[in-house]
């Protein structure tokens, strides 16, 4: 199943993160899943399982996954989280617009969508315990739009408030991109992402 955006998000009604948190009628187990908004839409802030010690996985943008129907990327992310000692995983994205193919993403940053996505990131970190673990897993897709590295830098700044620790899994590319989860072994260990900011600034040059 492919999701093609109906239009750019500047022309989409975007719920604030606070509004998106409000429950509506839905057919998934809220005790097991965190899904915001809790219905399928043109954007997604958060999708993952609930637990006391989550691994926060960062992709570029959401595709079609929903609770109980994960795509192969999220299945891989969940397996790696469990192998590394986490009791749950949360899929977060640099940009919240839903699009199966990154080439279908907004050409220009939607500041409103980004601001609400950063509120969602703060929400995730607040509930992840001390020194939350954040797994950079976006691959070379980060190059698809020039605004994406800047979005991650905003996430880094927010993460600093919570003592977030950033990781990668698997070999990084020649350009320094962290490996995408899809083709990683389920027993892949996490490695500290020590040069994260230098890497992000190199993408802006």
């Amino acid at each position: 199943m492919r999701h093609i955006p109906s239009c750019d998000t500047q022309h989409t009604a975007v719920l604030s993160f606070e509004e998106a948190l409000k429950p509506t009628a839905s057919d998934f187990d809220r005790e097991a899943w965190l899904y915001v908004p809790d219905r399928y839409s043109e954007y997604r802030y958060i999708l993952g399982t609930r637990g006391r010690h989550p691994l926060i996985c960062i992709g570029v943008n959401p595709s079609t996954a929903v609770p109980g129907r994960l795509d192969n990327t999220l299945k891989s992310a969940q397996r790696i989280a469990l192998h590394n000692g986490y009791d749950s995983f949360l899929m977060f994205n640099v940009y919240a617009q839903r699009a199966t193919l990154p080439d279908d993403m907004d050409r220009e940053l939607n500041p409103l969508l980004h601001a609400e996505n950063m509120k969602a990131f703060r929400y995730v970190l607040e509930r992840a315990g001390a020194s939350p673990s954040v797994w950079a897993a976006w691959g070379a897709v980060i190059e698809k739009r020039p605004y994406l590295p800047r979005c991650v830098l905003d996430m880094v700044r927010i993460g600093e408030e919570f003592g977030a620790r950033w990781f990668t899994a698997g070999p990084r590319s020649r350009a320094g991109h962290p490996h995408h989860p899809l083709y990683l072994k389920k027993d892949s260990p996490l490695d500290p992402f020590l040069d994260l900011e230098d890497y992000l600034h190199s993408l802006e040059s």
Side-chain angles (χ1 to χ4, degrees), residues 100-142:
T100 302
L101 299 181
D103 286 335
D104 292 331
M105 291 172 61
D106 288 343
R107 292 288 174 183
E108 303 292 334
L109 175 74
N110 180 341
L112 173 61
L113 184 62
H114 174 60
E116 297 305 322
N117 200 40
M118 293 303 96
K119 291 179 184 177
F121 188 55
R122 185 178 294 276
Y123 177 91
V124 166
L125 293 173
E126 287 172 345
R127 283 151 183 80
S131 302
S133 298
V134 184
W135 170 19
W138 48 71
V141 181
I142 197 77

Side-chain angles (χ1 to χ4, degrees), residues 119-178:
K119 291 179 184 177
F121 188 55
R122 185 178 294 276
Y123 177 91
V124 166
L125 293 173
E126 287 172 345
R127 283 151 183 80
S131 302
S133 298
V134 184
W135 170 19
W138 48 71
V141 181
I142 197 77
E143 296 183 359
K144 287 291 183 178
R145 297 290 183 264
Y147 56 79
L148 293 172
R150 298 195 301 272
C151 292
V152 181
L153 281 168
D154 287 345
M155 295 169 66
V156 171
R157 299 291 173 258
I158 295 170
E160 288 171 351
E161 300 175 31
F162 297 88
R165 297 171 300 152
W166 288 78
F167 298 93
T168 63
R172 291 169 59 182
S173 73
R174 289 185 179 180
H177 301 309

Side-chain angles (χ1 to χ4, degrees), residues 76 80 83-84 135-137 139 167-174 176-193:
S76 179
I80 290 169
H83 171 76
N84 281 277
W135 170 19
F167 298 93
T168 63
R172 291 169 59 182
S173 73
R174 289 185 179 180
H177 301 309
H179 204 293
H180 191 277
L182 188 56
Y183 300 111
L184 288 174
K185 295 180 179 179
K186 65 181 180 181
D187 59 351
S188 297
L190 297 175
D191 302 307
F193 199 166

Side-chain angles (χ1 to χ4, degrees), residues 191-203:
D191 302 307
F193 199 166
L194 299 178
D195 62 335
L196 172 59
E197 291 200 47
D198 289 342
Y199 157 76
L200 291 169
H201 287 305
S202 75
L203 298 181

